[in-house]
Amino acid sequence: VNERFKIFPEQLRDGHVEQIEEVFEPVFIEIDDVDLAFKAPVNVVGEAYLADDNLVLHLNVKTIALMPCVICNEVVHVAIDVENLYHVEALDNIKSGVFLLNDLLREALLLEVPKFAECREGNCLAREALEKFMKKNASSTSSEELEGEGYRPFADIELDLKPKT
Ligand SMILES: [Zn+2]
């Protein structure tokens, strides 16, 4: 494990506040897929301190995720920005005397990843073509529905019966 991921609560006794300002290589996120990859450095700024018997971490975490555009499949750079991440860990849970930041950072970043991305900040050039295609498809199905409605073999019978009742 990268030494810089380590926080030592013992060093934070007597109200010492540790300033954190780190840039980590994104390999620790361990996600490098077609659907989601992290290749940009992860910036972490914040502080660590003790409050009662807890380690408190207050962090801002930033990086960039690579995702395919949901429409044209081009790679989109999605800014992942975790602001004011607070993590409180009971010192009793830090038996080894070392708290590792990597899992916390990974989880926080993954929570901020959007379900899908679109290139050109939501203005994918292929969007218009797709919308035309969708409209065309939608209108063809609705015209089929209309034809279906037009063919009602029993409609006339109902009309014939109505005046009698
Ligand atoms: Zn696109």
Side-chain angles (χ1 to χ4, degrees):
V1 181
N2 188 329
E3 285 296 311
R4 290 181 299 135
F5 283 122
K6 292 180 178 178
I7 304 282
F8 299 92
E10 275 307 313
Q11 296 176 359
L12 303 174
R13 296 275 176 205
D14 305 319
H16 177 69
V17 177
E18 182 180 338
Q19 300 297 325
I20 298 169
E21 196 166 349
E22 296 283 359
V23 179
F24 295 110
E25 286 303 311
V27 283
F28 77 90
I29 306 173
E30 293 175 331
I31 294 180
D32 191 358
D33 295 328
V34 180
D35 290 340
L36 178 65
F38 291 88
K39 307 223 188 251
V42 178
N43 287 277
V44 181
V45 178
E47 53 192 21
Y49 52 90
L50 297 186
D52 298 324
D53 290 325
N54 300 299
L55 169 67
V56 181
L57 295 156
H58 175 206
L59 305 170
N60 290 314
V61 190
K62 275 185 188 185
T63 190
I64 289 170
L66 302 181
M67 299 172 73
C69 171
V70 71
I71 297 173
C72 74
N73 224 31
E74 279 291 314
V75 174
V76 186
H77 293 226
V78 182
I80 306 293
D81 213 338
V82 183
E83 283 184 4
N84 288 316
L85 169 68
Y86 274 96
H87 181 80
V88 179
E89 189 81 37
L91 291 180
D92 284 346
N93 293 338
I94 313 174
K95 292 262 166 20
S96 60
V98 185
F99 181 83
L100 293 171
L101 283 176
N102 42 342
D103 285 344
L104 175 67
L105 297 176
R106 186 196 294 117
E107 254 175 59
L109 288 170
L110 291 180
L111 278 176
E112 290 296 313
V113 172
K115 284 204 171 64
F116 57 85
E118 187 177 329
C119 68
R120 294 167 58 89
E121 294 177 341
N123 293 298
C124 176
L125 292 177
R127 175 186 271 283
E128 207 180 322
L130 181 81
E131 277 170 2
K132 270 185 195 157
F133 174 78
M134 303 264 275
K135 251 181 219 157
K136 203 176 147 197
N137 268 21
S139 61
S140 68
T141 47
S142 61
S143 67
E144 268 170 31
E145 275 167 20
L146 284 175
E147 280 166 33
E149 270 178 32
Y151 179 67
R152 284 184 299 179
F154 302 109
D156 292 342
I157 297 167
E158 277 173 43
L159 283 174
D160 284 346
L161 286 173
K162 259 178 198 162
K164 288 177 192 167
T165 51

